[in-house]
Amino acid sequence: MSILLIAGSPSEHSRSAALLDAVAERLAQRQVHFSRLPIRDLSPQALLLADFNHASVRRAIAQVETARAVVVATPVYKAAYSGVLKVFLDLLPQTGLKGKTVLPLATGGSPHHMLALDYALRPVLQSLSARHILPGVYATDAQIPKDEHGKYHVGDEIATRLDDAVNALLTEGLRMPPTAGFAPVPFSQVRCSV
């Protein structure tokens, strides 16, 4: 199984990249194969001109096609997902996410932009025929502060929400067995008293 992590930030070091890195760490701990697609590394000219024949665009679209699940991370600007992400999503075919589970992640300056996940990004993902869009994780700047070395790190509250989101991605989206809780009990072993 393959999960594609799409970085929709125009910056290499950003809070949304920190969210995506935290998801990658959780997938690696569960020994789940994933690959990355930083949109900022694609040819800007090919993206803006919708050059479907450009090698970087073809490779990116192929990565989306072969993934079973997609995690999309974006900063929120003016109550919408990033323009870099929009340009890329516009290049995908109408059924570009067909049969896939998608986990949306976003960061923004304040809690006021939280609904950008549901009112801006989710409709686009649905229009691309995503099979299942999980509840997204939104984090404010204060929830992903810089450490003493100037690197962003995910705070405890967001870390807990990411744990839940990755678990949902694997169990609901990809039908992997849960790692916590009770072991499944066959119906033939169920005993009840009246």
Side-chain angles (χ1 to χ4, degrees), residues 68-79:
R68 277 196 52 205
V70 176
V71 180
V72 179
T74 180
V76 173
Y77 299 118
K78 298 182 182 178

Side-chain angles (χ1 to χ4, degrees), residues 80-190:
Y81 53 94
S82 72
V84 171
L85 180 59
K86 181 191 184 331
V87 171
F88 177 70
L89 293 176
D90 286 348
L91 292 178
L92 294 178
Q94 192 66 38
T95 57
L97 296 175
K98 185 175 182 176
K100 299 180 191 323
T101 298
V102 180
L103 171 60
L105 309 172
T107 59
S110 76
H112 302 294
H113 296 295
M114 182 185 312
L115 293 177
L117 276 173
D118 290 327
Y119 291 109
L121 186 56
R122 183 175 293 271
V124 173
L125 299 173
Q126 287 173 331
S127 75
L128 292 170
S129 304
R131 176 177 61 89
H132 185 33
I133 303 171
L134 296 168
V137 175
Y138 177 85
T140 63
D141 290 354
Q143 293 171 314
I144 307 178
K146 283 187 178 180
D147 62 19
E148 62 276 1
H149 304 293
K151 184 178 178 183
Y152 292 113
H153 69 90
V154 174
D156 292 341
E157 178 189 351
I158 297 302
T160 300
R161 291 175 52 210
L162 287 175
D163 289 339
D164 294 342
V166 169
N167 191 49
L169 176 67
L170 298 177
T171 57
E172 294 176 30
L174 300 180
R175 307 284 186 236
M176 290 183 65
T179 58
F182 298 105
V185 177
F187 186 74
S188 63
Q189 294 179 3
V190 174

